[in-house]
PDB file of all heavy atoms in Angstrom:
ATOM      1  N   ILE A  11       7.281  -1.825  -9.892  1.00 85.00           N
ATOM      2  CA  ILE A  11       6.977  -0.811 -10.928  1.00 85.00           C
ATOM      3  C   ILE A  11       5.417  -0.727 -11.221  1.00 85.00           C
ATOM      4  O   ILE A  11       4.751   0.251 -11.029  1.00 85.00           O
ATOM      5  CB  ILE A  11       7.641  -1.001 -12.250  1.00 85.00           C
ATOM      6  CG1 ILE A  11       9.202  -0.835 -11.946  1.00 85.00           C
ATOM      7  CG2 ILE A  11       7.290  -0.151 -13.341  1.00 85.00           C
ATOM      8  CD1 ILE A  11      10.203  -1.011 -13.103  1.00 85.00           C
ATOM      9  N   LEU A  80     -12.916  10.666   2.612  1.00 91.00           N
ATOM     10  CA  LEU A  80     -14.136  11.577   2.535  1.00 91.00           C
ATOM     11  C   LEU A  80     -13.740  12.983   2.933  1.00 91.00           C
ATOM     12  O   LEU A  80     -14.220  14.015   2.507  1.00 91.00           O
ATOM     13  CB  LEU A  80     -15.122  11.048   3.573  1.00 91.00           C
ATOM     14  CG  LEU A  80     -15.850   9.795   3.164  1.00 91.00           C
ATOM     15  CD1 LEU A  80     -16.795   9.439   4.373  1.00 91.00           C
ATOM     16  CD2 LEU A  80     -16.595   9.858   1.760  1.00 91.00           C
ATOM     17  N   PRO A  84      -6.619  12.998  -2.608  1.00 77.00           N
ATOM     18  CA  PRO A  84      -6.030  11.735  -2.756  1.00 77.00           C
ATOM     19  C   PRO A  84      -4.438  11.695  -2.387  1.00 77.00           C
ATOM     20  O   PRO A  84      -3.872  10.710  -1.764  1.00 77.00           O
ATOM     21  CB  PRO A  84      -6.102  11.517  -4.326  1.00 77.00           C
ATOM     22  CG  PRO A  84      -7.424  12.240  -4.539  1.00 77.00           C
ATOM     23  CD  PRO A  84      -7.451  13.401  -3.642  1.00 77.00           C
ATOM     24  N   GLU A  86      -2.911  13.671  -0.200  1.00 77.00           N
ATOM     25  CA  GLU A  86      -2.839  13.692   1.310  1.00 77.00           C
ATOM     26  C   GLU A  86      -3.045  12.398   1.867  1.00 77.00           C
ATOM     27  O   GLU A  86      -2.289  11.869   2.847  1.00 77.00           O
ATOM     28  CB  GLU A  86      -3.831  14.752   1.747  1.00 77.00           C
ATOM     29  CG  GLU A  86      -3.604  16.158   1.346  1.00 77.00           C
ATOM     30  CD  GLU A  86      -4.749  17.064   1.744  1.00 77.00           C
ATOM     31  OE1 GLU A  86      -5.822  16.610   1.942  1.00 77.00           O
ATOM     32  OE2 GLU A  86      -4.510  18.330   1.745  1.00 77.00           O
ATOM     33  N   GLY A 141      -7.084  13.103   8.723  1.00 83.00           N
ATOM     34  CA  GLY A 141      -5.724  12.685   8.883  1.00 83.00           C
ATOM     35  C   GLY A 141      -5.598  11.621   9.852  1.00 83.00           C
ATOM     36  O   GLY A 141      -4.742  10.612   9.708  1.00 83.00           O
ATOM     37  N   ASN A 147      -5.335   3.870   9.492  1.00 94.00           N
ATOM     38  CA  ASN A 147      -5.393   2.962   8.365  1.00 94.00           C
ATOM     39  C   ASN A 147      -3.953   2.415   8.225  1.00 94.00           C
ATOM     40  O   ASN A 147      -3.715   1.248   7.910  1.00 94.00           O
ATOM     41  CB  ASN A 147      -5.939   3.567   7.072  1.00 94.00           C
ATOM     42  CG  ASN A 147      -5.202   3.277   5.894  1.00 94.00           C
ATOM     43  OD1 ASN A 147      -5.227   2.122   5.422  1.00 94.00           O
ATOM     44  ND2 ASN A 147      -4.523   4.189   5.318  1.00 94.00           N
ATOM     45  N   VAL A 169      -4.524 -16.787  -0.663  1.00 95.00           N
ATOM     46  CA  VAL A 169      -4.678 -15.936   0.442  1.00 95.00           C
ATOM     47  C   VAL A 169      -5.437 -14.692   0.097  1.00 95.00           C
ATOM     48  O   VAL A 169      -6.409 -14.314   0.829  1.00 95.00           O
ATOM     49  CB  VAL A 169      -3.186 -15.480   0.912  1.00 95.00           C
ATOM     50  CG1 VAL A 169      -3.189 -14.371   1.899  1.00 95.00           C
ATOM     51  CG2 VAL A 169      -2.445 -16.721   1.441  1.00 95.00           C
ATOM     52  N   TRP A 216       1.536  -6.894  -3.741  1.00 90.00           N
ATOM     53  CA  TRP A 216       2.127  -6.501  -2.549  1.00 90.00           C
ATOM     54  C   TRP A 216       2.377  -7.853  -1.763  1.00 90.00           C
ATOM     55  O   TRP A 216       3.523  -8.013  -1.188  1.00 90.00           O
ATOM     56  CB  TRP A 216       1.040  -5.796  -1.719  1.00 90.00           C
ATOM     57  CG  TRP A 216       1.581  -5.252  -0.446  1.00 90.00           C
ATOM     58  CD1 TRP A 216       1.112  -5.437   0.845  1.00 90.00           C
ATOM     59  CD2 TRP A 216       2.520  -4.134  -0.274  1.00 90.00           C
ATOM     60  NE1 TRP A 216       1.770  -4.662   1.745  1.00 90.00           N
ATOM     61  CE2 TRP A 216       2.536  -3.827   1.154  1.00 90.00           C
ATOM     62  CE3 TRP A 216       3.410  -3.553  -1.169  1.00 90.00           C
ATOM     63  CZ2 TRP A 216       3.475  -3.031   1.682  1.00 90.00           C
ATOM     64  CZ3 TRP A 216       4.261  -2.638  -0.598  1.00 90.00           C
ATOM     65  CH2 TRP A 216       4.355  -2.303   0.755  1.00 90.00           C
ATOM     66  N   GLN A 244      -0.805  17.725  -8.341  1.00 73.00           N
ATOM     67  CA  GLN A 244      -0.372  19.025  -8.712  1.00 73.00           C
ATOM     68  C   GLN A 244      -0.757  19.381 -10.147  1.00 73.00           C
ATOM     69  O   GLN A 244      -1.160  20.390 -10.564  1.00 73.00           O
ATOM     70  CB  GLN A 244       1.131  19.108  -8.405  1.00 73.00           C
ATOM     71  CG  GLN A 244       1.871  20.386  -9.084  1.00 73.00           C
ATOM     72  CD  GLN A 244       1.668  21.538  -8.255  1.00 73.00           C
ATOM     73  OE1 GLN A 244       1.022  21.720  -7.124  1.00 73.00           O
ATOM     74  NE2 GLN A 244       2.218  22.766  -8.766  1.00 73.00           N
ATOM     75  N   ILE A 249      -4.184  19.861  -5.577  1.00 65.00           N
ATOM     76  CA  ILE A 249      -3.690  20.633  -4.510  1.00 65.00           C
ATOM     77  C   ILE A 249      -2.510  21.444  -5.139  1.00 65.00           C
ATOM     78  O   ILE A 249      -2.110  21.304  -6.296  1.00 65.00           O
ATOM     79  CB  ILE A 249      -2.884  19.625  -3.605  1.00 65.00           C
ATOM     80  CG1 ILE A 249      -1.942  18.639  -4.194  1.00 65.00           C
ATOM     81  CG2 ILE A 249      -3.889  18.819  -2.796  1.00 65.00           C
ATOM     82  CD1 ILE A 249      -0.992  17.964  -3.238  1.00 65.00           C
ATOM     83  N   THR A 282      39.710 -14.577 -11.786  1.00 45.00           N
ATOM     84  CA  THR A 282      40.898 -15.334 -11.511  1.00 45.00           C
ATOM     85  C   THR A 282      41.644 -15.718 -12.816  1.00 45.00           C
ATOM     86  O   THR A 282      40.957 -15.909 -13.909  1.00 45.00           O
ATOM     87  CB  THR A 282      40.491 -16.603 -10.848  1.00 45.00           C
ATOM     88  OG1 THR A 282      39.535 -17.213 -11.587  1.00 45.00           O
ATOM     89  CG2 THR A 282      39.848 -16.313  -9.430  1.00 45.00           C
ATOM     90  N   THR A 287      51.581 -23.484 -17.597  1.00 43.00           N
ATOM     91  CA  THR A 287      52.987 -23.647 -17.607  1.00 43.00           C
ATOM     92  C   THR A 287      53.336 -24.690 -18.505  1.00 43.00           C
ATOM     93  O   THR A 287      52.570 -25.485 -19.012  1.00 43.00           O
ATOM     94  CB  THR A 287      53.306 -24.230 -16.046  1.00 43.00           C
ATOM     95  OG1 THR A 287      52.552 -25.391 -15.792  1.00 43.00           O
ATOM     96  CG2 THR A 287      53.042 -23.063 -15.041  1.00 43.00           C
TER      97      THR A 287
END
Side-chain angles (χ1 to χ4, degrees):
I11 291 174
L80 295 176
E86 294 169 345
N147 141 66
V169 171
W216 192 240
Q244 168 78 359
I249 61 170
T282 57
T287 58

